[in-house]
């Protein structure tokens, strides 16, 4: 079923209608024949259906524990081989839903229960009864166990466990958000107040972590529960999630009561009290938020025993600091110069030179910046003098500069060779000609007009500690010994180049704010902030990796959590992740194999998380992202040469074989950011608060306002909207953009004052408001009517377009992975040949409609190619699409 990009309460009307049809259909018409009801399964599991009593079907989707499992199958007999090692041991449910060939009916199989048992773990929920709606506060209690050999019992005791303690800890999650970690033996319990959540379905997930050495989690239980508290008080919610002011400006304190049934009540000003975490930045006076001086503060509002906070930022001159294409810093958008940095670790001109077709794919993915090393340290290459060093460095630099110009890319360079190790630092500040070499490198970077900035030692706090200006002689014990002022000497050398590119010293994700302030907040060292995140709530939530709330917590810890110590008048770049498995190789192959190799950490990023992270970075006010990481030739070679038992093997994303679904999601979000760049780089303005599961942000310029919402919950979420702060009353329509994993679309929507929106987990919706004349000039939207996103396709595929207004249409192009494969000025049906594509890889199908006014609209989906067999390294995930049964 296609979820339409409709408006207000009718957004999901078509979906709800078909769901009601499905509920009335005869469930016996479609049944699962494999696996059997109540069976215990392990290894690769063949899923199959009895189709004898069904009408002709167009597609089938399997669901494990309520989540989409694998691709959307489009060919009979709709079988699928699933590696059950992709889930931890424990009870599970399986169902399938099918759409008939005429598109009129959705048929659901009865849900079957099974037990996954690839190891020795078992888990069960003792309370509450999840088959009935839950209300009020309940005790959520589980019990888990595993087989413990006699030889292990003594080891457990020596490590502080009971002799037969199978479980180290339980992690309890609601909608992917960590509720609590419990260290309590083989059973664990937490209080769950269902009144803190809206009525409706929520995901309950609990993982039991083994007490065995080096063992993965031993069992999990993942289920959907219904919360129903009638009209109970859910939360106090401030009107704003964040506000932006200049000194002297004020804003009324406003908040609402939110009820579990969705009701909203305003709280009178006389019933609200408030406080500020930094009264010198923001003061609370007579029910007003009053900006005092530049800085950041948290404002806490309180009423009737409830409290909630929001962020207030005060700037002397409003603007969003960002880079221009020639390496300068701007605070207001400059057409033709300003841009949002979109880059990937490991992606260099060398990779593009050596990989046929990669340059085209990089451009199609809207990547605009490449990375490369700036410096070659004489301590590493042992050149005897400056002339010899310069001859070699100049040859390398000239090629890099020429390649960047040829590929029309900016450069974000790394300078870690300057000060990564004690020997490199000693050479940089003590070698009599190194100052000349360093200054030559920075001068060349400046003169190229290609270099945005230089990222010095990554995660510098791991190498050099909490400050670049120690007073305790800590580096005297190094080999060679170094003085306290080593970094001051180095900065003096770098600062000898006037107009040089800005540099930064990225700190580790786990570094504290004081450490971040020392390295990134001090203008003596950093000219912008490059922010890393990999901080999770103890461990990743799911077998495949972190949940959306865990990513939000980690990313916001590294961005808004550090606002008090960062230079908010300088650009910020954010690391995001597109990684696959990080694993131990336990069998043949050069890719991670489920059921064979062992994940070392849950670092597998689902496609919808690949798209949500850059949008979260946009919301935080960053000026670009660095995606970790391109699956380079070096990474592939390392995995190929790795011996059995070798660990620390990584997988990234690239467009041809490895992590292709993550590449397509990255391409979708980067292209949307490129489309909206002139609006996203406008000054930040007050952003509405839609609740804990939503991240929101807003921008405002001379002739546009933009509001965005991202669902960072692992359940579908709905929010009521008040567009009063953003809309232009004279305009009849606004433009609405949607992004979910590898799929994106746009639609024209009525310029209503109020509305509602529903979002899938990880989905972003953006509303662009413009005055009447600008809104009228916006291009009509195009959408892909078929095939469905997430489909498993092969051979020749027909792609059908739908256009809002044909009268203005010039032509439509069909793009496969960003390259035009068909074009027509009139027809809405296109043909795409997928027969030569590698089985088990993801591909982007996009329609670009060109209109007579010179503007264009795009819609894209991500699909799979190959037969319905085990996909390379696939894990249970939410399908990256706008469709859901």
């Amino acid at each position: 079923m296609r979820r339409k990009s409709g408006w207000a309460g009718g957004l999901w009307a078509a979906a709800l209608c078909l769901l009601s049809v499905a509920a009335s259909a005869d469930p016996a018409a479609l049944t699962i024949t494999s696996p059997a009801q109540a069976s215990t399964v392990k290894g690769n599991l063949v899923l199959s259906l009895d189709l004898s009593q069904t009408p002709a079907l167009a597609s089938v989707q399997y669901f494990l524990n309520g989540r989409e499992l694998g691709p959307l199958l489009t060919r009979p007999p709709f079988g699928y081989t699933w590696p059950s090692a992709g889930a931890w041991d424990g009870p599970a449910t399986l169902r399938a839903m099918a759409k008939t060939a005429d598109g009129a009916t959705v048929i659901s199989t009865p849900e079957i229960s099974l037990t996954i048992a690839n190891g020795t773990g078992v888990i069960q929920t003792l309370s509450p009864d999840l088959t009935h709606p839950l209300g009020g506060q309940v005790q959520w209690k589980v019990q888990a166990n595993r087989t413990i050999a006699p030889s292990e019992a003594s080891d457990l005791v020596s490590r502080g466990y009971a002799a037969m303690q199978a479980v180290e800890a339980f992690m309890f999650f609601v909608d992917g958000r960590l509720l609590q970690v419990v260290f309590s033996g083989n059973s664990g319990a937490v209080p769950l107040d269902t009144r803190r959540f809206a009525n409706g379905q929520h995901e309950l997930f609990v993982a039991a972590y083994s007490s065995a050495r080096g063992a993965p989690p031993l069992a999990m239980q993942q289920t959907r529960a219904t919360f129903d508290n009638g009209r109970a008080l859910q939360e106090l919610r401030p009107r704003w999630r964040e506000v932006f002011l200049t000194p002297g400006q004020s804003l009324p304190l406003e908040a609402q009561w939110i009820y579990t049934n969705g009701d909203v009540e305003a709280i009178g000003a006389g019933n609200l009290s408030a406080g500020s975490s930094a009264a010198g930045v923001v003061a609370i006076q007579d029910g007003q938020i009053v900006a005092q001086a530049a800085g950041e503060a948290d404002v806490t509002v309180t009423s009737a025993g409830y409290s909630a906070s929001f962020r207030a930022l005060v700037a002397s001159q409003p603007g969003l600091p960002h880079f221009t294409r020639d390496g300068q810093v701007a605070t207001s958008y400059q057409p033709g110069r300003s841009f949002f940095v979109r880059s990937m670790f490991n992606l260099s001109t060398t990779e593009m030179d050596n990989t046929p077709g990669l340059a085209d794919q990089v451009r199609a993915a809207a990547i605009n910046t490449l990375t490369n090393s700036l410096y070659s340290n004489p301590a590493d290459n042992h050149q005897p003098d400056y002339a010899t060093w310069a001859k070699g460095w100049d040859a390398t630099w000239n090629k890099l500069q020429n390649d960047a110009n040829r590929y029309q890319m900016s450069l974000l360079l790394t300078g870690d060779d300057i000060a990564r190790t004690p020997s490199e630092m000693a050479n940089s500040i003590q070698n009599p000609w190194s100052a000349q070499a360093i200054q030559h490198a920075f001068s060349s970077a400046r003169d190229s007009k290609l270099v945005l900035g230089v990222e010095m030692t990554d995660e510098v706090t791991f190498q050099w500690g909490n400050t670049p200006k120690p007073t305790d002689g800590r580096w005297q014990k190094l080999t060679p010994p170094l003085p306290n002022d080593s970094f001051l000497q180095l900065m003096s050398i770098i600062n000898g180049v006037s107009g040089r590119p800005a540099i930064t010293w990225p700190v580790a994700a786990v570094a504290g704010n004081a450490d971040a302030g020392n390295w990134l907040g001090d203008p003596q060292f950093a000219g912008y902030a490059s922010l890393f995140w990999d901080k999770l709530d103890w461990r990743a939530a799911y077998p495949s990796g972190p949940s959306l709330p865990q990513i939000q917590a980690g990313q916001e810890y590294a961005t808004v959590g550090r606002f008090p110590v960062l230079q908010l008048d300088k650009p910020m770049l954010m690391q995001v992740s597109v990684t696959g498995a990080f694993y131990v190789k336990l069998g043949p192959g050069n890719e991670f194999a489920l059921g064979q190799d062992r994940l070392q950490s849950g670092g597998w990023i689902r496609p919808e998380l690949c798209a949500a992270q850059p949008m979260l970075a946009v919301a935080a006010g960053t000026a670009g992202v660095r995606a970790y990481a391109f699956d380079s030739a070096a990474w592939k070679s390392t995995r190929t040469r790795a011996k059995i038992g070798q660990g620390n093997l990584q997988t990234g994303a690239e467009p041809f074989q490895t992590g292709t679904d993550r590449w397509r999601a990255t391409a979708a979000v980067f292209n949307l950011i490129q489309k909206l760049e002139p609006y996203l780089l406008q000054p930040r303005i007050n952003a509405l608060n839609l609740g804990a599961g939503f991240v929101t942000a807003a921008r405002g310029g001379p002739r546009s306002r933009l509001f965005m919402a991202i669902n960072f919950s692992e359940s579908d979420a709905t929010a009521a909207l008040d567009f009063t702060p953003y809309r232009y009353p004279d305009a009849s329509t606004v433009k609405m953009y949607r992004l979910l994993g590898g799929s994106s679309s746009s639609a024209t929507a009525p310029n209503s004052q109020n509305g509602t929106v529903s979002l899938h987990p990880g989905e972003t919706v953006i509303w662009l408001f413009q005055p009447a004349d600008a809104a009228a000039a916006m291009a009509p939207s195009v959408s892909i009517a078929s095939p469905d996103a997430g489909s498993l396709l092969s051979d020749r595929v027909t792609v059908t377009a739908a256009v809002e207004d044909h009268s203005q249409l010039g032509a439509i192009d069909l793009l496969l992975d960003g390259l035009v494969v068909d074009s027509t000025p009139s027809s809405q049906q296109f043909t795409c040949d997928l027969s030569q594509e590698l089985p088990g890889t993801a591909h982007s199908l996009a329609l670009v409609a060109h209109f007579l006014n010179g503007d264009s609209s795009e819609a894209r989906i991500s699909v799979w190619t190959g037969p319905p067999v085990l996909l390379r390294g696939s894990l249970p995930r939410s399908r990256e699409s706008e469709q859901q049964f």
Side-chain angles (χ1 to χ4, degrees):
M1 170 191 318
R2 185 167 184 77
R3 281 195 166 184
K4 301 293 185 182
S5 297
W7 183 253
L11 189 65
W12 307 126
L16 294 175
C17 177
L18 284 181
L19 282 173
S20 66
V21 172
S24 63
D26 179 10
L30 185 66
T31 58
I32 294 175
T33 56
S34 174
Q37 166 68 20
S39 58
T40 298
V41 301
K42 63 180 181 179
N44 289 345
L45 184 62
V46 177
L47 311 182
S48 61
L49 300 168
D50 179 1
L51 304 176
S52 61
Q53 302 300 311
T54 63
L57 299 180
S59 60
V60 168
Q61 176 73 66
Y62 290 97
F63 291 79
L64 180 76
N65 298 330
R67 286 177 174 255
E68 299 96 329
L69 178 62
L72 183 68
L73 305 174
T74 59
R75 290 194 172 186
F78 305 109
Y80 180 64
T81 301
W82 170 61
S84 65
W88 298 322
D89 290 348
T93 61
L94 184 70
R95 72 187 301 197
M97 301 193 77
K99 183 166 65 175
T100 56
D102 60 9
T105 308
V106 173
I107 305 172
S108 172
T109 68
E111 189 171 75
I112 67 169
S113 300
L114 56 144
T115 300
I116 300 170
N118 287 291
T120 60
V122 295
I123 190 170
Q124 62 176 324
T125 295
L126 302 179
S127 68
D129 181 357
L130 300 179
T131 63
H132 294 87
L134 305 180
Q137 182 163 302
V138 299
Q139 185 188 51
W140 184 6
K141 185 174 184 179
V142 299
Q143 178 177 290
N145 219 322
R146 62 180 174 86
T147 302
I148 297 178
S151 59
E152 187 192 352
S154 59
D155 179 64
L156 287 172
V157 172
S158 70
R159 293 162 51 215
Y161 296 100
M164 300 304 289
Q165 184 175 335
V167 181
E168 176 190 11
F170 294 93
M171 292 182 71
F172 294 85
F173 295 86
V174 180
D175 296 335
R177 193 172 302 276
L178 182 64
L179 185 63
Q180 193 173 333
V181 179
V182 176
F183 298 87
S184 60
N186 294 346
S187 64
V190 295
L192 171 60
D193 190 348
T194 64
R195 293 165 296 190
R196 302 287 77 83
F197 303 86
N199 293 342
Q201 278 208 338
H202 297 271
E203 182 191 81
L204 302 184
F205 185 95
V206 59
Y209 279 81
S210 174
S211 57
R213 292 179 185 267
L218 66 90
M220 72 174 201
Q221 184 156 31
Q222 181 181 37
T223 189
R224 298 276 170 174
T226 299
F227 295 175
D228 187 356
N229 287 286
R231 188 181 184 273
L233 185 58
Q234 179 183 331
E235 62 173 311
L236 180 152
R237 183 181 299 170
R239 174 170 172 78
W240 306 108
R241 181 175 184 267
E242 54 186 8
V243 298
F244 298 89
L245 304 167
T246 56
Q249 276 190 319
S250 63
L251 192 70
L253 277 173
E254 297 176 272
Q256 302 167 320
W257 292 119
I258 307 298
Y259 292 85
T260 53
N261 67 345
D263 286 353
V264 177
E265 287 182 0
I267 302 176
N271 295 320
L272 274 178
S273 59
S276 170
S277 64
V281 175
V282 169
I284 310 300
Q285 300 172 359
D286 300 324
Q288 299 280 316
I289 310 162
V290 183
Q292 304 292 312
E296 184 267 355
D298 290 329
V299 177
T300 300
V301 294
T302 304
S303 183
Y306 285 75
S307 64
S309 299
F310 62 95
R311 187 167 47 252
L313 283 93
V314 180
S316 299
Q317 292 185 336
L320 197 156
H322 60 273
F323 289 105
T324 62
R325 297 177 190 278
D326 54 358
Q328 302 302 305
V329 172
T331 55
S332 59
Y333 183 77
Q334 301 178 20
R337 293 189 69 219
S338 295
F339 78 150
F340 188 93
V341 178
R342 303 179 294 276
S343 66
M344 296 187 85
F345 287 78
N346 299 342
L347 182 58
S348 63
T349 59
T350 302
E351 291 283 346
M352 295 171 68
D353 288 342
N354 295 337
T355 309
L358 179 58
D360 288 337
Q361 288 299 300
V362 168
R363 292 189 194 97
I367 293 170
N368 58 20
T369 303
L370 301 178
T371 60
N372 208 88
S373 176
L374 168 66
Y375 190 62
S376 175
N377 198 299
D380 302 323
N381 52 44
H382 309 295
Q383 281 109 341
D385 52 54
Y386 175 75
T388 304
W389 175 91
K391 182 178 180 180
W393 187 90
D394 283 347
T396 301
W397 172 256
N398 290 334
K399 182 182 186 308
L400 172 63
Q401 186 174 219
N402 291 336
D403 286 347
N405 279 315
R406 176 162 53 92
Y407 291 128
Q408 297 182 315
M409 293 282 174
S410 295
L411 294 172
L412 186 64
L413 300 178
T414 59
D416 58 348
D417 287 352
I418 296 174
R420 179 183 54 209
T421 65
S423 61
E424 289 171 334
M425 173 64 93
N427 189 285
S428 294
I429 63 176
Q430 295 171 3
N431 182 337
W433 53 267
S434 281
Q436 185 179 2
I438 292 171
Q439 290 176 351
H440 178 67
F442 272 94
S443 296
S444 299
R446 174 200 61 198
D447 296 342
S448 72
K449 304 297 184 183
L450 294 170
V451 178
L452 306 178
V454 181
E455 307 266 325
M456 303 298 282
T457 305
D458 277 356
E459 299 182 297
V460 66
T461 45
F462 285 145
Q463 283 79 30
W464 295 100
N466 66 333
T467 178
K469 296 190 292 186
T471 58
D472 56 7
R474 64 181 65 178
W475 298 328
Q476 285 294 318
K477 298 178 182 179
L478 299 176
T479 305
L482 292 166
N484 286 339
D485 67 347
S486 293
F487 279 90
L488 292 172
Q489 291 185 52
L490 177 61
M491 291 307 303
S492 177
I493 292 170
I494 295 173
N495 289 335
V497 179
S498 62
R500 63 166 174 81
I503 70 169
T504 190
W505 298 89
V507 300
V510 295
N513 271 13
D515 301 357
N518 292 336
W519 289 98
L520 296 171
D522 187 342
Q524 190 174 14
F525 294 96
Y528 69 101
S530 186
L531 305 166
F532 288 11
W533 85 264
D534 57 7
K535 184 177 184 294
L536 297 176
D537 295 319
W538 195 55
R539 292 180 180 174
Y542 298 124
S544 59
S547 65
L548 282 157
Q550 284 185 309
I551 283 181
Q552 179 189 353
Q555 211 169 317
E556 290 190 339
Y557 175 87
T559 50
V560 297
R562 289 184 172 147
F563 277 178
V565 300
L566 295 180
Q567 302 172 70
L568 299 181
D569 60 342
K570 303 292 176 60
M572 295 183 293
L573 301 183
M574 184 71 220
Q575 175 208 3
V576 296
S577 178
V578 296
T579 57
F582 183 77
Y583 68 102
V584 177
K585 185 175 181 177
L586 297 179
N590 62 0
E591 298 279 350
F592 172 73
L594 268 172
Q596 169 188 282
D597 303 324
R598 177 166 59 84
L599 281 172
Q600 289 177 260
S601 63
W604 194 294
I605 303 298
R606 293 172 279 149
E608 62 271 25
L609 275 63
C610 290
Q613 288 176 78
M615 297 314 299
L616 181 59
V618 168
T622 68
V625 294
R626 303 178 67 201
Y628 185 85
F630 179 75
D631 201 78
S632 64
W635 280 18
K636 287 182 170 65
S637 177
T638 298
R639 296 195 302 265
T640 299
R641 291 182 290 102
K643 297 179 180 179
I644 304 301
Q646 181 174 334
N648 299 331
L649 300 175
Q650 298 185 81
T651 51
E654 45 93 347
F656 304 117
Q657 178 178 346
T658 305
T660 53
D661 55 341
R662 300 187 296 277
W663 178 274
R664 304 305 170 204
T666 301
V669 65
F670 280 8
N671 272 277
L672 181 60
I673 289 174
Q674 178 178 256
K675 174 79 173 178
L676 298 175
E677 201 169 53
Y679 312 105
L680 296 175
L681 291 178
Q682 303 258 32
R684 290 174 283 177
I685 59 175
N686 302 340
L688 292 169
N689 187 344
L690 301 184
F694 288 95
V695 171
T696 60
R699 302 286 187 269
R703 287 178 55 78
S704 69
R705 301 185 193 108
L706 177 149
F707 177 70
M708 63 184 290
I710 318 167
N711 179 12
F712 265 88
S713 164
E714 290 288 352
S715 287
D716 288 352
T718 300
L721 300 163
D722 174 10
F723 290 122
T724 304
Y726 312 117
R727 62 191 294 266
Y728 293 84
D730 65 331
S732 60
T733 60
V734 300
K735 197 77 166 184
M736 185 170 69
Y737 299 85
R738 283 186 174 270
L739 170 75
L740 180 62
S743 296
S744 63
S745 65
S746 64
T748 302
N751 184 21
S752 303
Q753 184 170 331
N754 299 292
T756 61
V757 65
S758 296
L759 286 80
H760 294 311
E763 187 172 16
T764 299
V765 179
I766 296 174
W767 293 263
L768 178 61
F769 301 84
Q770 293 178 297
D773 57 340
M778 289 190 296
S781 294
V782 63
S783 61
I784 298 176
S786 67
D788 288 340
S791 295
L792 189 64
L793 305 171
S794 60
D795 302 328
R796 296 179 69 82
V797 176
T798 299
V799 180
T800 305
V803 182
E804 280 184 335
D805 186 352
H806 292 271
S807 66
Q808 301 182 48
L809 180 63
I812 304 179
D813 297 330
L814 171 66
L815 285 68
L816 172 63
D817 297 336
L819 305 180
V820 176
V821 295
D822 199 358
S823 183
T824 176
S826 56
S827 174
Q828 263 95 70
Q829 287 210 327
F830 305 82
T831 300
C832 182
D833 187 358
L834 300 174
S835 61
Q836 302 303 308
E837 304 300 335
L838 184 68
T841 54
H843 299 271
S844 171
L845 295 176
L847 290 174
V848 178
H850 304 277
F851 294 92
L852 300 178
N853 65 0
D855 200 359
S856 63
S857 291
E858 176 186 303
R860 69 170 60 208
I861 60 173
S862 184
V863 299
W864 292 94
T865 57
V869 295
L870 171 62
L871 297 177
R872 180 181 291 101
S874 62
L875 288 172
R877 57 185 169 78
S878 294
R879 191 174 68 251
E880 66 282 17
S881 71
E882 290 184 294
Q883 294 121 30
Q884 177 177 318
F885 283 100

